[in-house]
Amino acid sequence: GETLWRTVTNHPYALILAGGILLAGGNDAVAAFDAQDGQCIKTFPVRGCAHGLAVAGGSLFVSTDTGSVYCFR
């Protein structure tokens, strides 16, 4: 029950864990955080609010409120 880390982010819409990476959906971007220390590793640009996140086959799939679906490898 102890907190490992805490960070302030502008990515409140979706959250998933894939391996050691925590992915968070926000406005016009998805952020990737190291699950061990909370450091932001990378951001992925999208158009709209990233509400749907899925990881499969080494790819990140993102759906937004604009109706777009993105695939990042």
Side-chain angles (χ1 to χ4, degrees):
E2 73 181 75
T3 301
L4 296 178
W5 53 267
R6 179 180 289 202
T7 189
V8 176
T9 182
N10 293 324
H11 301 87
Y13 301 120
L15 191 65
I16 63 168
L17 180 64
I21 306 296
L22 189 62
L23 297 154
N27 289 320
D28 298 319
V30 174
F33 297 92
D34 185 307
Q36 294 292 323
D37 61 16
Q39 295 298 312
C40 186
I41 300 166
K42 185 171 179 81
T43 58
F44 302 91
V46 297
R47 189 167 161 246
C49 298
H51 286 287
L53 304 177
V55 174
S59 298
L60 167 64
F61 298 92
V62 181
S63 63
T64 70
D65 64 348
T66 65
S68 297
V69 176
Y70 296 81
C71 177
F72 298 96
R73 286 193 160 206

